[in-house]
Amino acid sequence: MRNTAAVPASEPTALRQYTLDEMRDSGGAVRSHYTSFNDWLQTVPPAQMKQKRDEAERLLRRLGITFAIYGESAGAERLIPFDLIPRIIPAKEWKILAAGLRQRVLALNAFLHDIYHGQEILKAGRIPAEMIFSNPQYRVEMQGINLPGGVYIHIAGLDVVHTGEGEFHILEDNLRTPSGVSYMLANRRMMTRLFPDLVRRHAIAPVEHYPELLLETLRSIAPAGVDEPTVALFTPGPYNSAYFEHTFLAQQMGIEVVEASDLFVRDNKVYMRTMEGPVRVDVLYRRIDEDFLDPLAFRSDSTLGVPGLLSVYRAGGVTLTNAVGTGVADDKAIYAYVPEMIRFYLGKEPILKNVPTFQLRNPEERAYVLAHLSELVVKEVHGSGGYGMLIGPASSAKERDLFRQRILRNPESYIAQPTLSLSTCPTFVEQGIAPRHVDLRPFVLSGRTVHLVPGGLTRVALRDGSLVVNSSQGGGTKDTWVLEE
Amino acid sequence: MLLRVADHLYWMGRYIERTESTARAIEVAYQASLLPAALSADREWEGLLAMVGQRDDFFARYGSPSAAKVLRFMSIDLENPVSLLSSLRAARENGRSVNGNLSPEMWESLNTIWLDLREVDEDRLLSTGVIPFLERVKEGAYLFRGILHSALGQEEVLRPIDLGTFLERADHTIRTLRARYACLLQQGKREADYYSWLAILRSVGADTAYRRLYRDLITPGRVAELLILREEVPCSLHACMDRVNDLLRPLSGGIGPEAVRLAADLHFLLHDGGIRKTLQYHLHDYLIDFTGALGRLSAKIDEGFRGQICA
């Protein structure tokens, strides 16, 4: 078997020491794709930036772009902080990114189709079979089911970090119900409204047609024999934290937002209850976890699901996006094998890098990790939320010894990765403008063809030095400008 | 359109209309309270509480009524289910639950009214003045309605909203008549009568219409006729029930034939040949019957929206 994490011993350290800044090069000079923005910034008094920021907040509230907090009243909707300084990506960098994202999603789709059908990649010994079959996200119900176009991941949100000149690493693949695209669209609207002159100065590739592409994608994979498909967005309801996104996307596509109580199953079809009587639904864009989809098939205590939905789905009476069973492809342990998938299914080398991941089941990799525990992050394969993790650089000798024992006792339960350095981008914080770490979540749409709007959601860690960009942890967002050639 | 969505839109329509009519009722009571004491201002505040059915709640929480207390209770007290802010919040919550079906302008204007007004506390209410506050509420409602009716290709969305609007309007008209029924019978000092009859017209926003139609002194018989029978006046029971009938008929597939039948019965109550006599001698009974029938119709519509369609 190939060593999937063929890293020179020096690379993890190199990754950690160097932090790229999106706006300035290592000598402190402004990068060419930021010059126009920087010239403009010099002319804007700080007081005006403050005023614009307040205006942005007012606008976001008006538009209702808020985060519902479960169990609180209407007055308690939170805003995700929006930062006024855009993250700018030059055309040549986006080209690399787009090609890499497309390649990765194609391979992941091929992988899902394969493991639910012929399992060639397992037969070829490229991925250990027990990693698939022991994975709780592997859905036996999907074995041998043929989906329209063979597509599993209709909407993917891949988290990318910029680690060096022209170099990107994929942090994780979100292949179940990725969210955040409405903020990408809202942020562009905000910038256009707040700084029309600034936007006019730049040739920014547009993103507003995303809902159009999404609708096209959803229509293209309707069940066989349906000419004019009815598409609906399936939401857990107004208390879900991403509810704004659900209604916003549905409204932009002109489709209904449906809850479980609006749907019922009959004669191997799904119907929604309307003023005109039952209307068949052909494609359900689900924003609800598969565990809750159908109380007869998965969690029986789910009140958010539709009894019988899975059997209609398996019989081809309705298309669900994303497919049931995609979770097996975005699992921590499987992540390490995505480059291998790209080689196996596409016969190409990966364009975007994986974070080198050491599988501690392999003796050589284990030896390397045990020798470098103080510089690596060790994660439990089935652990989550930071449980059972060793952060090498911040650990004591005692903790490292403890982990050494654990790894030796049970090596296949662990992976290890170097601590990554996210790039920084100037951000408007209380003290003025300062660098803060960012990542990027572009969205890849796969129907009969693959679409990608130029950009994505840039998330920013607002606390100094913090690497945590999640909005649930106080991260904010920025508009992302991909410049035209 | 989904039944659940239609239900939310219908209630959004009702609550927006309720916001506006409450603002008008508060304004009328407030104006009356500024009149000389001889024209008995206190009764106005109590009458307002009785009309919206919140007298007991108010006395339990506030004690005896005063201008400032009733204003607070009816404008910004979120614990009072029929205060301006409560109605507005309910309209906005219903809108939020279906905002994928509203145009961005509709949602934004509804959300903006709510955000602007929820900031108002007691001090600001008294410092900006009650009238400017009520004006803003009404302007917000007008703007929202204007956006609704200028949107193209939204008939499907408008139908349940309008249904809610006209039912609520009929409800407000009949409440006003019942609450001020006594003063339709009184023949006291000419001046006092004039103000109390004018208050009825203002409370439903029909004072201008009255002058235009009758070009004559205000008399109680004409006030009752205007608010019940004159179909050319948008707040009359007749005008409201005409609209409700038209809006309900195409919905019978979705919410069942029973509601349509009840609406037709109500309509008949307005077209019956003996109605003028009835109004002359049995106005009070008529108002009570009508209120009951309107309540049954509302209940039936709710049932239709929330009931399962028999597949």
Side-chain angles (χ1 to χ4, degrees):
Chain A
M1 196 188 128
R2 277 178 106 115
N3 176 353
T4 52
V7 260
S10 64
E11 185 164 346
T13 333
L15 272 174
R16 208 178 53 244
Q17 282 172 349
Y18 172 67
T19 298
L20 177 128
D21 186 85
E22 299 289 340
M23 183 159 159
R24 294 176 186 277
D25 63 23
S26 49
V30 173
R31 297 175 188 276
S32 62
H33 59 275
Y34 261 102
T35 45
S36 177
F37 174 81
N38 192 50
D39 294 348
W40 172 86
L41 191 62
Q42 300 310 319
T43 66
V44 182
Q48 193 186 334
M49 287 297 269
K50 270 208 169 53
Q51 181 208 325
K52 290 281 188 188
R53 191 182 55 187
D54 296 346
E55 193 180 333
E57 195 157 310
R58 257 201 315 280
L59 273 173
L60 286 167
R61 281 220 182 274
R62 267 187 69 152
L63 298 168
I65 304 179
T66 51
F67 221 160
I69 304 166
Y70 186 75
E72 291 189 32
S73 67
E77 293 157 19
R78 268 192 310 165
L79 291 176
I80 296 184
F82 168 69
D83 186 64
L84 299 176
I85 299 177
R87 187 253 186 86
I88 305 179
I89 302 175
K92 64 176 194 308
E93 253 174 20
W94 175 252
K95 247 205 186 103
I96 301 170
L97 255 178
L101 292 163
R102 199 178 280 268
Q103 179 195 55
R104 196 167 170 105
V105 171
L106 279 171
L108 284 161
N109 247 318
F111 165 74
L112 283 164
H113 188 270
D114 184 23
I115 58 161
Y116 289 118
H117 292 80
Q119 301 177 341
E120 301 301 331
I121 200 164
L122 306 183
K123 289 175 189 162
R126 299 293 190 87
I127 297 181
E130 72 271 13
M131 289 191 72
I132 306 298
F133 300 128
S134 67
N135 189 320
Q137 292 296 323
Y138 179 77
R139 298 285 187 189
V140 185
E141 299 88 340
M142 295 302 293
Q143 195 58 54
I145 302 288
N146 291 315
L147 300 177
V151 183
Y152 285 76
I153 311 159
H154 309 87
I155 300 107
L158 307 191
D159 291 344
V160 183
V161 289
H162 196 184
T163 42
E165 305 291 339
E167 188 182 73
F168 298 91
H169 278 82
I170 295 280
L171 211 49
E172 62 181 46
D173 306 292
N174 300 290
L175 310 177
R176 303 176 209 191
T177 50
S179 68
V181 77
S182 58
Y183 294 95
M184 168 184 93
L185 299 166
N187 291 353
R188 179 63 50 86
R189 253 172 82 179
M190 295 292 291
M191 290 303 279
T192 311
R193 205 152 151 172
L194 292 170
F195 304 110
D197 293 348
L198 174 64
V199 170
R200 206 173 301 128
R201 277 185 185 211
H202 293 80
I204 309 167
V207 293
E208 291 87 342
H209 57 296
Y210 175 85
E212 183 84 1
L213 291 176
L214 177 58
L215 183 61
E216 184 190 320
T217 301
L218 296 171
R219 289 176 59 106
S220 75
I221 40 86
V226 178
D227 290 343
E228 274 302 319
T230 300
V231 182
L233 188 147
F234 186 11
T235 179
Y239 297 106
N240 183 277
S241 64
Y243 186 67
F244 158 75
E245 175 155 308
H246 305 170
T247 57
F248 175 81
L249 289 174
Q251 193 268 322
Q252 294 283 303
M253 292 189 280
I255 64 174
E256 292 291 344
V257 178
V258 295
E259 296 174 18
S261 63
D262 299 320
L263 299 172
F264 66 94
V265 160
R266 202 175 59 209
D267 306 334
N268 260 335
K269 293 185 184 66
V270 178
Y271 293 92
M272 52 186 183
R273 306 174 208 276
T274 79
M275 299 293 292
E276 293 76 34
V279 169
R280 185 182 168 188
V281 185
D282 306 294
V283 180
L284 273 177
Y285 172 23
R286 64 176 179 101
R287 295 297 302 257
I288 180 173
D289 288 342
E290 60 191 40
D291 280 341
F292 296 94
L293 276 178
D294 179 351
L296 300 181
F298 304 126
R299 284 184 55 163
S300 57
D301 62 347
S302 169
T303 52
L304 305 171
V306 184
L309 181 59
L310 192 79
S311 68
V312 177
Y313 177 53
R314 293 182 69 230
V318 69
T319 301
L320 296 176
T321 65
N322 287 347
V324 172
T326 55
V328 68
D330 68 3
D331 165 285
K332 260 206 234 43
I334 299 290
Y335 163 87
Y337 293 90
V338 178
E340 200 53 24
M341 295 174 198
I342 294 172
R343 294 183 193 107
F344 184 78
Y345 297 111
L346 309 178
K348 299 221 168 69
E349 277 303 306
I351 297 169
L352 300 177
K353 296 187 171 173
N354 244 34
V355 180
T357 303
F358 303 96
Q359 302 283 349
L360 299 192
R361 65 177 72 231
N362 301 341
E364 318 137 50
E365 296 182 46
R366 188 161 63 239
Y368 176 84
V369 171
L370 290 174
H372 294 83
L373 272 183
S374 62
E375 0 178 304
L376 299 170
V377 176
V378 181
K379 296 176 183 171
E380 227 177 333
V381 167
H382 298 301
S384 66
Y387 176 77
M389 226 163 100
L390 174 80
I391 299 171
S395 66
S396 66
K398 198 170 154 197
E399 286 170 330
R400 291 198 291 276
D401 272 342
L402 187 73
F403 255 83
R404 186 183 308 275
Q405 302 308 322
R406 282 195 195 173
I407 290 167
L408 288 168
R409 255 202 314 275
N410 202 355
E412 57 282 343
S413 295
Y414 292 92
I415 56 154
Q417 292 174 334
T419 29
L420 259 202
S421 174
L422 280 63
S423 65
T424 58
C425 183
T427 300
F428 187 61
V429 292
E430 285 313 316
Q431 305 79 30
I433 293 173
R436 289 290 182 268
H437 291 288
V438 293
D439 79 349
L440 175 67
R441 179 178 291 182
F443 295 87
V444 184
L445 298 174
S446 310
R448 298 288 163 180
T449 50
V450 177
H451 293 293
L452 188 59
V453 293
L457 178 65
T458 292
R459 296 184 300 175
V460 53
L462 293 171
R463 274 188 307 117
D464 190 15
S466 167
L467 294 168
V468 183
V469 296
N470 308 49
S471 41
S472 53
Q473 315 280 322
T477 69
K478 291 168 166 286
D479 194 8
T480 308
W481 294 0
V482 171
L483 299 182
E484 304 265 21
E485 296 267 14
Chain B
M1 169 171 299
L2 296 169
L3 271 173
R4 176 180 51 86
V5 170
D7 184 39
H8 280 298
L9 292 171
Y10 163 80
W11 278 104
M12 184 180 81
R14 280 200 83 145
Y15 282 119
I16 285 284
E17 179 69 20
R18 190 172 300 175
T19 306
E20 192 191 326
S21 53
T22 307
R24 246 190 272 107
I26 296 173
E27 196 175 353
V28 168
Y30 179 74
Q31 300 282 19
S33 75
L34 301 177
L35 290 171
L39 305 171
S40 57
D42 285 351
R43 277 220 327 265
E44 271 301 331
W45 293 120
E46 219 168 316
L48 175 62
L49 296 171
M51 175 178 145
V52 298
Q54 296 299 314
R55 210 174 155 277
D56 296 350
D57 178 32
F58 179 88
F59 276 84
R61 290 202 290 124
Y62 287 80
S64 65
S66 72
K69 283 198 270 184
V70 178
L71 276 174
R72 181 176 182 284
F73 176 76
M74 287 302 297
S75 304
I76 56 178
D77 184 345
L78 282 168
E79 285 174 45
N80 169 13
V82 297
S83 72
L84 277 178
L85 275 195
S86 290
S87 296
L88 200 53
R89 180 173 63 181
R92 189 242 183 200
E93 275 305 292
N94 277 291
R96 195 176 98 84
S97 299
V98 293
N99 81 10
N101 297 69
L102 301 175
S103 72
E105 294 80 10
M106 290 175 189
W107 163 246
E108 203 179 322
S109 93
L110 179 60
N111 194 35
T112 303
I113 307 167
W114 160 249
L115 292 175
D116 283 354
L117 295 176
R118 73 162 186 187
E119 301 293 333
V120 176
D121 55 14
E122 197 157 6
D123 299 343
R124 271 181 57 185
L125 182 62
L126 298 174
S127 69
T128 51
V130 178
I131 297 294
F133 171 76
L134 297 173
E135 291 292 337
R136 262 173 62 204
V137 174
K138 287 192 294 183
E139 276 167 16
Y142 296 152
L143 175 64
F144 181 64
R145 194 165 295 132
I147 291 172
L148 282 181
H149 285 267
S150 61
L152 296 173
Q154 296 282 346
E155 290 75 11
E156 197 189 35
V157 171
L158 270 180
R159 186 176 287 278
I161 298 175
D162 281 349
L163 180 64
T165 303
F166 291 107
L167 265 173
E168 184 67 31
R169 194 171 291 175
D171 183 73
H172 178 69
T173 299
I174 198 127
R175 275 175 189 276
T176 304
L177 280 167
R178 285 185 63 184
R180 298 173 181 272
Y181 170 75
C183 72
L184 284 174
L185 304 180
Q186 70 190 26
Q187 289 286 330
K189 288 214 331 251
R190 175 84 205 107
E191 222 173 70
D193 287 348
Y194 168 78
Y195 283 109
S196 50
W197 296 333
L198 182 64
I200 299 182
L201 294 173
R202 282 203 172 142
S203 184
V204 294
D207 43 327
T208 314
Y210 183 98
R211 294 197 182 93
R212 209 167 280 143
L213 272 172
Y214 297 106
R215 301 183 192 286
D216 196 355
L217 300 176
I218 299 180
T219 66
R222 284 183 192 148
V223 171
E225 182 199 54
L226 180 88
L227 296 194
I228 296 171
L229 292 180
R230 298 298 294 249
E231 58 192 301
E232 60 271 64
V233 180
C235 64
S236 73
L237 295 180
H238 192 165
C240 292
M241 293 325 293
D242 276 355
R243 289 302 312 273
V244 167
N245 244 323
D246 291 346
L247 290 161
L248 266 179
R249 231 171 288 127
L251 297 182
S252 67
I255 59 179
E258 190 58 14
V260 179
R261 195 186 59 73
L262 283 175
D265 284 355
L266 266 175
H267 204 219
F268 176 76
L269 275 182
L270 295 158
H271 282 269
D272 171 22
I275 179 127
R276 288 186 185 277
K277 230 188 187 71
T278 308
L279 292 189
Q280 217 167 340
Y281 301 105
H282 310 288
L283 176 60
H284 196 249
D285 292 346
Y286 182 87
L287 293 178
I288 288 176
D289 287 352
F290 202 97
T291 306
L294 200 59
R296 283 192 296 280
L297 173 60
S298 291
K300 196 47 81 178
I301 290 174
D302 275 349
E303 214 176 287
F305 277 134
R306 282 154 205 217
Q308 307 283 322
I309 304 178
C310 310

